C-alpha cells in the first residue's frame, strides 16, 4: 500500500494489488487471533474496483469477543492500537503507519454483537453490485478531495450522508 500522510486526502485509481495485500493481512490476523475470529473482510474503497480510493487498506474483523482481543499481538507487528472508536465499546481500531507516518492500513475490529461489521461489508457489496451508485460515490469523493486535500476529517464528514443513504438500502 502506498499510504497517505496523516490527516490528508489522496485518491488513486483502483490497484489490483490491494486484494493481494488484503490476503496477506488476513493470514496474519488469523495467526494472531485464531479462534476469536468469526470473519475477516476487505472493505472500504480499495475493495471496490470501479472507484478511486485513498491507498489505505481497510480490513473489517468480526470477533467472537472484543474483550478477548489481545491488542499487543498486533502492536508487535507494528500496528498502533487506537482503542474504542466513536464511543462504541464494540468497535476498536488499529492503524499501521510507516516510518514517514503514512497511514497504510486500518484494521476495524467489531464484537459479534456490533452491526458495524455488516455495515462496512454491506456498503462494499452494494457499491460493487450497483455501478451507478458507485459512480456517484466516486464523484463525491473526488469533489471532496479537491475541496479538502489537507483535511481528512472534513473529507470524511462530507461523505457521511451518502454513506448513510446506502446503509438504509442494505440489510444486515
Amino acid at each position: 500500500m502506498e499510504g497517505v500522510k496523516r490527516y490528508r486526502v489522496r485518491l488513486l485509481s483502483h490497484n489490483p494489488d490491494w486484494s493481494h495485500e488484503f490476503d496477506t493481512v488476513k493470514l496474519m490476523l488469523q495467526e494472531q487471533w485464531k479462534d476469536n475470529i468469526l470473519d475477516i473482510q476487505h472493505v472500504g474503497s480499495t475493495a471496490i474496483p470501479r472507484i478511486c480510493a485513498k491507498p489505505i487498506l481497510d480490513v473489517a474483523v468480526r470477533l467472537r469477543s472484543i474483550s478477548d482481543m489481545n491488542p499487543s499481538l498486533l502492536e508487535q507487528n507494528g500496528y498502533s492500537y487506537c482503542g474504542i472508536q466513536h464511543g462504541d465499546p464494540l468497535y476498536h481500531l488499529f492503524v499501521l503507519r510507516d516510518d514517514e507516518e503514512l497511514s497504510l492500513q486500518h484494521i476495524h475490529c467489531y464484537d459479534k454483537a456490533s452491526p458495524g461489521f455488516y455495515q462496512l461489508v454491506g456498503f462494499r457489496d452494494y457499491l460493487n453490485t450497483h455501478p451507478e451508485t458507485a459512480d456517484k460515490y466516486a464523484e463525491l469523493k473526488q469533489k471532496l478531495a479537491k475541496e479538502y486535500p489537507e483535511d481528512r476529517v472534513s473529507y470524511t464528514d462530507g461523505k457521511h450522508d451518502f454513506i448513510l443513504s446506502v446503509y438504509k438500502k442494505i440489510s444486515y
Side-chain angles (χ1 to χ4, degrees), residues 109-125:
C109 299
Y110 295 92
D111 187 87
K112 67 182 176 191
S114 173
F117 177 86
Y118 295 109
Q119 289 174 328
L120 291 179
V121 172
F123 185 83
R124 175 205 64 199
D125 292 348

Side-chain angles (χ1 to χ4, degrees), residues 73-169:
L73 295 175
L74 286 190
E75 290 172 326
Q76 292 169 10
N77 286 298
Y79 290 83
S80 297
Y81 177 53
C82 302
I84 293 172
Q85 297 298 296
H86 308 296
D88 181 355
L90 302 179
Y91 170 36
H92 295 239
L93 178 70
F94 292 85
V95 175
L96 180 66
R97 294 185 181 89
D98 70 3
D99 294 337
E100 298 174 22
E101 283 295 300
L102 293 176
S103 295
L104 304 171
Q105 297 174 3
H106 293 165
I107 310 294
H108 307 267
C109 299
Y110 295 92
D111 187 87
K112 67 182 176 191
S114 173
F117 177 86
Y118 295 109
Q119 289 174 328
L120 291 179
V121 172
F123 185 83
R124 175 205 64 199
D125 292 348
Y126 191 89
L127 267 60
N128 277 328
T129 57
H130 294 83
E132 67 289 342
T133 305
D135 290 345
K136 287 178 185 173
Y137 186 55
E139 289 171 17
L140 175 62
K141 288 169 52 112
Q142 290 168 342
K143 174 185 169 280
L144 292 168
K146 286 178 186 171
E147 285 181 43
Y148 305 110
E150 308 279 326
D151 183 358
R152 195 179 310 167
V153 172
S154 293
Y155 166 83
T156 300
D157 288 347
K159 299 184 305 177
H160 183 262
D161 290 344
F162 185 95
I163 292 168
L164 285 181
S165 75
V166 173
Y167 285 171
K168 290 177 183 175
K169 297 175 185 178

Side-chain angles (χ1 to χ4, degrees), residues 5-24:
K5 287 185 181 178
R6 210 176 227 194
Y7 310 113
R8 301 228 174 119
V9 179
R10 177 173 162 234
L11 300 177
L12 299 178
S13 297
H14 183 79
N15 183 336
D17 290 340
W18 293 338
S19 64
H20 301 299
E21 182 176 345
F22 165 73
D23 293 338
T24 301

